[in-house]
């Protein structure tokens, strides 16, 4: 989704902002822009990649920058941010979606509106308010008229400040020495500081080069916000020797596993035992982790729960004070999950959040937070954070053998095993449709493998419980089909072998992931406890997607139409 970076200090803003935008490039975007304030506000923006869009340097020590992922209005230079008021006295970069656009357009009909964006209307609204008010009052009045979500950074000609506001979209203040930053995520300024303030909804205010001022837009009163230190390091946002973050992050799992295993799950474990009802939610990969938790809680502890995709939650569930809602979200900012959690909180449910980002929106409204300890994940496709989620689901459901899990992970990462997976990716690269099949605990892994493949290779793929094939999907199977089966030597083994025969009998190709030496199979680690097979399957599935994408010549870190953190519903 869109990204924001802003800088005020003693240094030239343009190179800092451009570099900051590159750090948040992974969020996905279609255009980029920077505005710098000196005597005048100067702007440089265009469609395309940061390097192409921002060729011309601008001088000045105060600036705002943006990567845009089109929502209101198509992909064009006019719609790229920064957007301006009538006289180029106000420049704004904005994430989120303003909902009362028609009403605002009507109110501002005498203004010179040049783009199709909702963002531009905010600049004109503030322009209108500035006719009678000082900047902070003007911004507050404008905020009270906005409906929808926003995180914005704003320049006003003649003011040595960067103004900001936040509601339902993340915005973080970075505190440096004699310099201050704003970012839609910490990666935007991590190179310069680890000291941050996570802004709350309705916060607005400004940063100058040596201080921040934060107020609440509803009450107009000063808001007190604590600065925290984030644990991520600048190396997390560097590719190092790797061509792609995705491979770097897959390989990192070998050493990150120790921190993941050390994650503190005690409070949430206790809560799970105490509540009458448990609802587990997540989106995408996080939903697969949610399913895994449901399976394991029931199997290992006899605790029943409901699992649901976040965006569907409020249509079906009626949580109350006896409900514990457990939300998985690596980013802690996914709008669908956040909305579901807020809905549950309003109905007095308690909230457990499993996230990689301390201080994220979900973390802040959680009653029981568990941290993934995976290090910042940059690749759009979740990899190491899913392993961490898997670790947490096991920790919450049973006593786990950390050493055994480490052994399994490191087995999958051995060079010879990676090379085998790479070889198999050539069999997938020219396919149009792929099926991922597995039973029991292997099914959420089949779902995850399938999602990884479709996200970064654009090959159509579907995951089914292997037993479900004969109830419909098998009609799609012919000589051109490819089915990838998870067939570990666990309780599902025999039945899955029969399903493989059904598929092969129809002329389809199969690739098997197994610890048994089967025909056309990728060898996976053999765990001491069959319950650990998902750990053995995970990395081969991730690598299969990665190498297939590379075989097709694709950039695995920036898949088309996708964003790392999906902050719109
Ligand atoms: C995973 O590879 C995807 N990029 C996506 O499905 C992701 O898992 C989903 O958007 C949820 O994100 P979250 O974990 O940050 O909430």
């Amino acid at each position: 989704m869109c990204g924001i970076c802003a800088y005020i200090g003693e240094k030239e803003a343009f190179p800092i902002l451009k570099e900051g935008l590159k750090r948040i490039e992974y969020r996905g975007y279609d255009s980029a822009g920077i505005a710098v304030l000196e005597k005048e506000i100067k702007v440089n923006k265009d469609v395309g990649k940061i390097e192409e869009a921002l060729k011309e340097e601008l001088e000045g020590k105060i600036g705002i920058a943006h990567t845009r992922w089109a929502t209101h209005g198509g992909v064009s230079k006019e719609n790229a941010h920064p957007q301006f008021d009538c006289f180029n006295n106000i420049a704004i970069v904005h994430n989120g979606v303003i909902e009362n656009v028609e009403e605002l357009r009507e109110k501002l009909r005498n203004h010179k509106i040049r783009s199709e964006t909702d963002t531009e209307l905010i600049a004109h609204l503030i322009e209108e308010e500035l006719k009678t008010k000082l900047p902070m009052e003007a911004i507050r009045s404008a905020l009270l008229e906005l409906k929808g979500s926003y995180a914005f950074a704003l320049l006003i000609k003649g003011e040595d400040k960067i103004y900001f506001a936040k509601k339902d979209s993340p915005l973080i203040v970075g505190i440096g020495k004699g310099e201050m930053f704003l970012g839609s995520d910490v990666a935007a300024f991590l190179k310069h500081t680890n000291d941050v303030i996570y802004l709350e909804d309705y916060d607005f205010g400004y940063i100058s080069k040596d201080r921040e001022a934060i107020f609440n837009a509803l009450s107009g009163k000063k808001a007190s916000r604590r600065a925290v230190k984030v644990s991520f390091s600048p190396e997390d946002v560097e590719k190092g020797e790797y061509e792609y973050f995705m491979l770097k992050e897959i390989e990192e799992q070998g050493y990150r596993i120790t921190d993941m295993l050390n994650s503190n799950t005690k409070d949430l474990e206790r809560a799970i035992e105490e509540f009458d009802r448990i609802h587990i939610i997540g989106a995408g990969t996080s939903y697969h982790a949610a399913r895994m938790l449901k399976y394991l809680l029931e199997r290992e502890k006899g605790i029943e729960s409901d699992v649901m995709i976040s965006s569907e939650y409020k249509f079906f569930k009626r949580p109350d004070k006896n409900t514990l809602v457990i939300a998985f979200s690596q980013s802690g900012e996914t709008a669908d999950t956040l909305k579901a959690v807020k809905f549950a909180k309003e109905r007095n449910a308690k909230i457990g959040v499993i996230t990689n980002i301390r201080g994220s929106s979900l973390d802040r409204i959680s009653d029981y937070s568990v941290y993934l300890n995976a290090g910042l994940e940059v690749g759009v496709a979740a990899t190491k954070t899913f392993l961490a989620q898997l670790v947490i689901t096991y920790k919450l459901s049973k006593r786990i053998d950390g050493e055994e899990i480490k052994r399994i992970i490191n087995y999958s990462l051995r060079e010879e095993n990676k090379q085998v997976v790479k070889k198999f990716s050539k069999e997938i690269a020219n396919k149009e449709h792929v099926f991922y099949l597995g039973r029991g605990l292997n099914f959420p892994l089949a779902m995850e493998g399938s999602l990884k493949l479709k996200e970064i290779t654009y090959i159509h793929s579907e995951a089914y419980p292997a037993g479900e094939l004969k109830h419909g999907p098998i009609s799609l199977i012919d000589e051109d089909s490819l089915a990838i089966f998870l067939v570990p030597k666990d309780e599902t083994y025999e039945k899955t072998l029969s399903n493989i025969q059904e598929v092969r009998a129809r002329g389809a190709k199969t690739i098997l992931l197994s610890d048994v030496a089967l025909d056309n199979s990728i060898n996976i680690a053999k765990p001491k406890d069959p319950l650990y097979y998902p750990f053995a399957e995970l990395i081969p599935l991730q690598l299969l997607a990665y190498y297939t994408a590379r075989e097709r010549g694709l950039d695995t870190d920036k898949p088309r139409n996708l964003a790392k953190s999906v902050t719109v519903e």
Side-chain angles (χ1 to χ4, degrees), residues 283-286 329-331 334 380-382 451-452 455 566:
T285 292
S286 288
S329 175
Q330 78 77 23
S331 63
T334 297
V380 165
L451 178 67
K452 285 294 86 95
E455 276 188 301
V566 186

